[in-house]
Amino acid sequence: MTSTIDRDGAAESRVFEADVAKLLQMMVHSVYSDKDVFLRELISNAADACERLRYEAISDSALLADDTRPQITIIVDAERRQLAIEDNGIGMSHDEMVDALGTIARSGTKAFIEQAKIEQAKSAEAGDGVNLIGQFGVGFYSAFMVADRVDVISRRAGAGEVWRWSSDGKGTFTITPVEESEGPARGTRVLLHLTEEAKEYTDRPKLEQIVKEQSGHVPVPIMLVEKPGAAPTEIADGAALWTKPRGEISASDYADFYRSVAGQFDEPALTVHFRAEGRQEFTALLFVPRTRPFDLFETDRKGPIKLYVKRVFITDDADLLPRYLRFVRGVVDSSDLPLNISREMIQESPVLAAIKKSITGRILSEFEKLAEKDAAAYGKIWDAFGPMFKEGIYDAYDRRDAILGLCRFKTTAGSLRSLKDYVGALRDNQTSIYYLAGQDAARLAASPHLEGFRARGVEVLLLSDPVDSFWVTSGPSFDGKPFKSVTQGGADLAAIPRVDAGAEPSQDVSADVTDFLSFLKATLADLVSDVRSSERLTDSPVCLVAAESGPDRQLEKILVGVGQLAGASKPVLEVNPKHPLIASLAALGDNDRAFKEDAARMLLDDARVLDGDRPGDALEFSRRLVRLVERSLRGSSA
């Protein structure tokens, strides 16, 4: 988006990127119930600009000149209905202004726009506003919720040129060079021309309240100028919250800082604040959100932890947490790293590797304490972040046991059961931890594969997250018990007694049923790898299982769906030899072979449907069903 600039002062007009235009339309016509968040977003941007200047000034102290104290100033002009947020940070050049304000680099913008449409529709029906802005952190553009025009005047640190960016939020913006005297000596001034409905944001008490509630702990002092020409007064001291003793920090202080650093709008579910001393000295202030950040699965988003060195912001792109803890937000301030550390040094630093190991261990330890102290609170964290957390079972071999101990599962015995609970309820002669993987826990609970396990009182994990099908194949065990799929191989249930010992069925299979199983195997040879009598079925006639080797049924479906497997393997058809339907079909002997072939293929399609699949051939399934029903009706009328 570069072009030739008219240095004589003519405005350069540009059109917003498509995503920005959509976003601005939402801002201008906002139905959001809490517009106050715009101030937090602008202050956060200003604080980042100040922090980035401090970092660049490490290698080029001339950038600071005589103005060495970072500062954010809010300037009010009630008569003109204007509000300005000014910083003495790094500032922007012409090209930086175009890139920063004319496009959105953040990949989550599309997700925000789509979610906003949904939430706006819901709010219209309910008659309430929604609070997506703070949740998604769309930053600068939230200014258009309260302003009908926004001017941004900026001078890059160390440069002489001053540029004005201006837009009414209706699709275009202009960039114009202005006289040096009109701009800040360094940094950026965001001037909001407030709408009539937003004039309350020129009231000092209102502004002070918003700043203290939402931005009171940004690491840059915030000043307020009540009217043009008035002396500035400090309304936030810029003291870094993480440097204060925990006893001096209230829950509301932590919550305010969390919202500022995490870009979230909820309350933290868990706060971890500690100082490490010894071989590495650092302070960490970490938060676990109550709700999922919207960009958890964005591959190109910045890291969730901001790295400081001696209170100087270094980067928000340091690898300070394993991927399975990417939902944690916060800051880490090291005393051991050099201030001029480069990106390459960050990636290779043994100090940062040690810090990562330490904070990972501390978070897991805090999870253990919370799970023991308040199971309900931990359960809410698990509901929000369990799928991500389970990635660590195969990503972090050295912490596998600790992660497995923290996992919670829905099972046939209830919800949020730990593996410790599971092992404590093992049945006599049970040597494995059984699981059933699929897409929906309710559907899994109704699966015929569970019948034999229920009859024996054997608990089965119901795994409905996509990641479950992968970590269980990485060879984990818990307390010496391996994980085993109930849809793969033999059920191995013969040694486990039934709950009702008197209901133990005879293991003998009649000659007719044996012959019928052979008939099924021959008839379905092109579709199944084997047909065998089932230990796991008690009420259903048939089910499908995977062979002993290879992936289980659910993992195979996933791999085929993403192109990792060319096609599904032939399953094993298990038959309940005691089921009345099987007994009746077996009793037909060699009579009516065409009917038996139709019945054989219907049994296979029935097993497919019970497994969450479609019949192999919908048209043939329909025709076959008609033939079977007609025969049944002829038999009943005779």
Side-chain angles (χ1 to χ4, degrees):
M1 293 185 66
T2 58
S3 66
T4 303
I5 309 301
D6 187 341
R7 301 294 178 177
D8 294 330
E12 174 195 1
S13 182
R14 292 175 176 258
V15 177
F16 282 114
E17 187 185 59
D19 283 341
V20 180
K22 294 178 184 177
L23 185 57
L24 285 172
Q25 187 177 16
M26 291 183 182
M27 299 299 102
V28 174
H29 303 288
S30 177
V31 296
Y32 298 98
S33 60
D34 187 1
K35 293 179 169 57
D36 293 355
V37 74
F38 85 90
L39 189 57
R40 186 195 77 186
E41 296 292 333
L42 295 181
I43 289 175
S44 178
N45 289 347
D48 285 347
C50 291
E51 295 292 88
R52 294 185 186 282
L53 174 64
R54 290 175 65 182
Y55 178 62
E56 290 198 18
I58 294 170
S59 56
D60 186 1
S61 59
L63 293 176
L64 295 175
D66 297 328
D67 184 11
T68 59
R69 182 175 185 262
Q71 182 173 295
I72 299 169
T73 305
I74 300 173
I75 306 166
V76 178
D77 189 339
E79 290 187 5
R80 296 185 178 182
R81 212 164 65 226
Q82 293 178 350
L83 180 69
I85 294 86
E86 183 172 317
D87 66 73
N88 60 349
I90 193 65
M92 291 179 282
S93 65
H94 167 271
D95 289 346
E96 289 170 333
M97 189 173 278
V98 171
D99 290 339
L101 306 181
T103 64
I104 300 182
R106 194 168 173 177
S107 59
T109 303
K110 286 187 173 68
F112 166 78
I113 292 172
E114 294 305 314
Q115 186 64 25
K117 291 177 182 177
I118 296 171
E119 295 298 332
Q120 285 185 356
K122 289 180 181 178
S123 66
E125 293 177 4
D128 298 321
V130 292
N131 289 315
L132 279 182
I133 298 298
Q135 295 178 34
F136 282 80
V138 293
F140 167 76
Y141 302 100
S142 60
F144 287 95
M145 292 191 296
V146 298
D148 51 24
R149 193 172 93 247
V150 177
D151 295 327
V152 180
I153 301 95
S154 190
R155 186 199 309 261
R156 186 66 158 81
E161 294 178 330
V162 181
W163 298 94
R164 175 188 284 113
W165 178 101
S166 183
S167 177
D168 59 6
K170 295 180 180 179
T172 62
F173 63 92
T174 60
I175 295 184
T176 311
V178 298
E179 296 293 330
E180 292 189 23
S181 59
E182 294 185 38
R186 178 190 70 225
T188 301
R189 180 188 308 134
V190 180
L191 178 61
L192 310 181
H193 302 268
L194 299 172
T195 63
E196 176 66 28
E197 296 79 10
K199 64 182 179 182
E200 62 178 324
Y201 294 107
T202 60
D203 295 337
R204 174 173 181 149
K206 173 77 171 179
L207 293 171
E208 284 197 62
Q209 176 190 2
I210 296 172
V211 169
K212 289 178 180 178
E213 288 181 354
Q214 299 190 10
S215 304
H217 299 294
V218 297
V220 178
I222 301 175
M223 314 297 290
L224 178 66
V225 176
E226 193 168 1
K227 60 183 179 179
T233 57
E234 186 176 83
I235 58 176
D237 61 9
L241 187 73
W242 62 87
T243 64
K244 298 179 180 179
R246 286 181 295 177
E248 297 179 7
I249 306 173
S250 67
S252 61
D253 290 336
Y254 277 129
D256 293 343
F257 183 75
Y258 157 74
R259 295 187 189 105
S260 174
V261 74
Q264 292 284 102
F265 207 65
D266 57 354
E267 298 271 338
L270 180 65
T271 300
V272 180
H273 187 190
F274 69 99
R275 177 174 177 78
E277 296 180 341
R279 294 184 64 182
Q280 284 83 35
E281 292 190 6
F282 66 91
T283 299
L285 178 51
L286 309 169
F287 302 96
V288 177
R290 288 187 188 274
T291 56
R292 286 188 184 185
F294 81 103
D295 57 351
L296 272 180
F297 299 100
E298 296 290 347
T299 57
D300 57 350
R301 70 174 181 84
K302 295 290 187 180
I305 306 298
K306 295 180 182 292
L307 174 65
Y308 288 75
V309 174
K310 300 179 180 69
R311 280 206 57 200
V312 176
F313 173 74
I314 301 300
T315 182
D316 55 5
D317 200 20
D319 182 21
L320 288 172
L321 281 178
R323 181 167 171 75
Y324 65 89
L325 291 177
R326 61 188 177 276
F327 52 87
V328 178
R329 300 293 191 261
V331 300
V332 170
D333 191 348
S334 171
S335 301
D336 299 324
L337 291 166
L339 283 172
N340 60 347
I341 185 169
S342 67
R343 182 177 297 273
E344 290 74 19
M345 292 171 64
I346 286 175
Q347 301 304 321
E348 300 171 1
S349 169
V351 174
L352 280 184
I355 291 175
K356 178 177 180 178
K357 182 177 181 180
S358 178
I359 64 176
T360 299
R362 184 61 176 260
I363 291 170
L364 297 183
S365 175
E366 292 296 326
F367 280 161
E368 289 177 1
K369 292 177 183 177
L370 181 63
E372 292 177 4
K373 180 181 177 181
D374 191 341
Y378 181 72
K380 291 178 181 178
I381 292 176
W382 181 260
D383 285 341
F385 304 111
M388 287 125 273
F389 193 61
K390 284 184 286 190
E391 293 174 11
I393 302 173
Y394 62 81
D395 272 351
Y397 183 82
D398 58 329
R399 297 190 185 273
R400 175 179 286 178
D401 290 343
I403 295 172
L404 281 170
L406 288 167
C407 288
R408 297 294 183 267
F409 301 96
K410 292 180 180 178
T411 80
T412 51
S415 294
L416 294 184
R417 296 268 289 170
S418 70
L419 291 177
K420 182 179 179 181
D421 296 332
Y422 184 102
V423 171
L426 287 178
R427 297 282 289 156
D428 292 342
N429 301 326
Q430 182 182 348
T431 59
S432 299
I433 297 172
Y434 292 101
Y435 71 88
L436 175 60
Q439 296 181 347
D440 177 72
R443 183 168 190 146
L444 293 177
S447 171
H449 294 89
L450 300 176
E451 293 170 0
F453 295 88
R454 283 201 175 97
R456 292 166 173 80
V458 175
E459 186 175 4
V460 178
L461 308 181
L462 305 177
L463 307 182
S464 56
D465 294 319
V467 68
D468 290 324
S469 294
F470 295 93
W471 68 258
V472 292
T473 64
S474 63
S477 62
F478 185 81
D479 198 19
K481 307 295 187 297
F483 289 80
K484 181 173 177 58
S485 171
V486 303
T487 67
Q488 185 172 25
D492 300 330
L493 292 175
I496 303 175
R498 289 193 171 221
V499 175
D500 183 358
E504 191 76 38
S506 170
Q507 299 301 312
D508 295 333
V509 177
S510 69
D512 285 345
V513 170
T514 300
D515 290 342
F516 182 63
L517 295 183
S518 298
F519 171 80
L520 288 175
K521 187 172 183 178
T523 302
L524 304 174
D526 57 335
L527 300 172
V528 300
S529 62
D530 194 11
V531 176
R532 67 188 179 208
S533 180
S534 179
E535 287 182 346
R536 71 192 91 214
L537 294 175
T538 61
D539 301 315
S540 300
V542 289
C543 71
L544 292 175
V545 299
E548 193 72 49
S549 59
D552 81 337
R553 296 279 295 156
Q554 177 62 15
L555 178 57
E556 185 177 68
K557 291 176 186 177
I558 293 174
L559 294 178
V560 170
V562 297
Q564 294 298 309
L565 286 178
S569 60
K570 292 181 181 180
V572 175
L573 179 67
E574 286 201 353
V575 179
N576 179 0
K578 304 300 181 182
H579 195 279
L581 175 61
I582 301 302
S584 297
L585 289 171
L588 292 175
D590 293 331
N591 298 325
D592 203 344
R593 186 176 183 85
F595 170 74
K596 287 178 62 177
E597 288 183 354
D598 276 346
R601 296 186 183 278
M602 285 296 291
L603 285 173
L604 176 58
D605 280 336
D606 181 43
R608 286 171 171 155
V609 171
L610 288 172
D611 214 26
D613 295 331
R614 296 179 178 180
D617 185 322
L619 179 59
E620 281 303 315
F621 174 82
S622 176
R623 290 171 176 170
R624 198 175 295 125
L625 180 62
V626 169
R627 290 196 297 269
L628 291 175
V629 171
E630 287 177 344
R631 186 186 189 282
S632 175
L633 291 174
R634 288 198 304 271
S636 62
S637 62

